[in-house]
Amino acid sequence: MSSTITAVSWNVELGINWKRAATWIQQQAPDICFQQELQPGQLELQAERLGMDGYVGIRRPGRKHANAIFLKRGGSLAFVEEYEQDWAPWIAPANIAVKLRDTDGTLSPRQISCVSGHACYWNPEYRLTEARWCSTLAKPGWLAVHFWDWNSYRTGTAIPWQKYEDQAFTANRTYLDATGRRHTDDRPDREMLAAGYHEMARHAAHHLGRPDAMISASGYRTHPGRPATAPRHCIDRGYLTPELTPALKSFTVCDTPDLRRLSDHLPLRARFDTAELRAILHRQAGLFAPSPG
């Protein structure tokens, strides 16, 4: 068994360059891959190309985009169950539970809920609902890992919206308060932090000596009506249950010219210490259980 567990997350733009993206993903040898904007017919093809098993969120009629999770066949992480999130107002997140497979083939007593999501780009209220749903996986004793394209910003991000001629984009990425004032939408991040989650990039920057983990994975392409010199802001973020944080050993926004050509988002890569993860997943946790009548 490898000393590390590798997770990759990538919004592969419209699935257009999925074959070349899959080649890069293969090179990372991930145990688990979270993907957004998967297109119809790509799940099985990509799963075969990666040598992984694919799980996709509910795809509603008329919707091409889907969220997906790929799991390495026979790898360190074993599939337990898939959950269909039909409550979702826009694109349903992909959600599976995994356990750690030990060297003797036995599975850890505890499991991790894994979520790949793409928050609604055009409705800040939907984004808030999507973030609030994530709190259902943050209950005491539960373990969860989330990778999303949040289409919103970190808490406290200041953006000079008056410089944006693209008024639709401004409306998409802001929200109105009760007085009619418009604010940069950082509410999903606030909800995730309020639920107790830790953001992986923040942890890497503040505790692992990697400030570069905080850079943005999108916004590097020019768009009509948006300032070409505006600073980039991070909308692709990963969160995890605090109990899992000690296992996180690195978090990287992977950036090369070729990756920039393949998508309007860059891939994220997280590595976890297997021994630390094993200790956590074998640790007894107090969980609520209903009493028989």
Side-chain angles (χ1 to χ4, degrees), residues 150-229:
W150 287 100
N151 280 312
S152 57
Y153 307 94
R154 286 192 179 106
T155 302
T157 299
I159 298 178
W161 293 112
Q162 69 276 10
K163 295 183 179 180
Y164 285 70
E165 297 175 8
D166 185 346
Q167 292 178 299
F169 182 75
T170 299
N172 293 160
R173 295 291 180 89
T174 59
Y175 68 94
L176 293 172
D177 66 16
T179 68
R181 284 190 60 204
R182 195 167 284 281
H183 302 271
T184 298
D185 189 16
D186 63 359
R187 294 184 301 174
D189 182 50
R190 282 190 273 148
E191 284 295 314
M192 295 297 284
L193 299 179
Y197 287 112
H198 289 179
E199 190 205 342
M200 297 182 211
R202 281 183 174 105
H203 178 77
H206 298 154
H207 301 284
L208 302 179
R210 294 303 302 264
D212 55 315
M214 295 278 280
I215 67 172
S216 175
S218 64
Y220 45 84
R221 293 183 179 175
T222 56
H223 292 267
R226 304 181 200 176
T229 58

Side-chain angles (χ1 to χ4, degrees), residues 209-262:
R210 294 303 302 264
D212 55 315
M214 295 278 280
I215 67 172
S216 175
S218 64
Y220 45 84
R221 293 183 179 175
T222 56
H223 292 267
R226 304 181 200 176
T229 58
R232 293 192 285 141
H233 301 284
C234 187
I235 66 172
D236 302 87
R237 299 187 299 276
Y239 297 83
L240 77 176
T241 306
E243 194 177 354
L244 291 170
T245 304
L248 181 66
K249 295 307 172 188
S250 69
F251 183 89
T252 307
V253 178
C254 304
D255 188 358
T256 68
D258 191 46
L259 290 173
R260 291 191 178 207
R261 284 190 289 270
L262 295 183

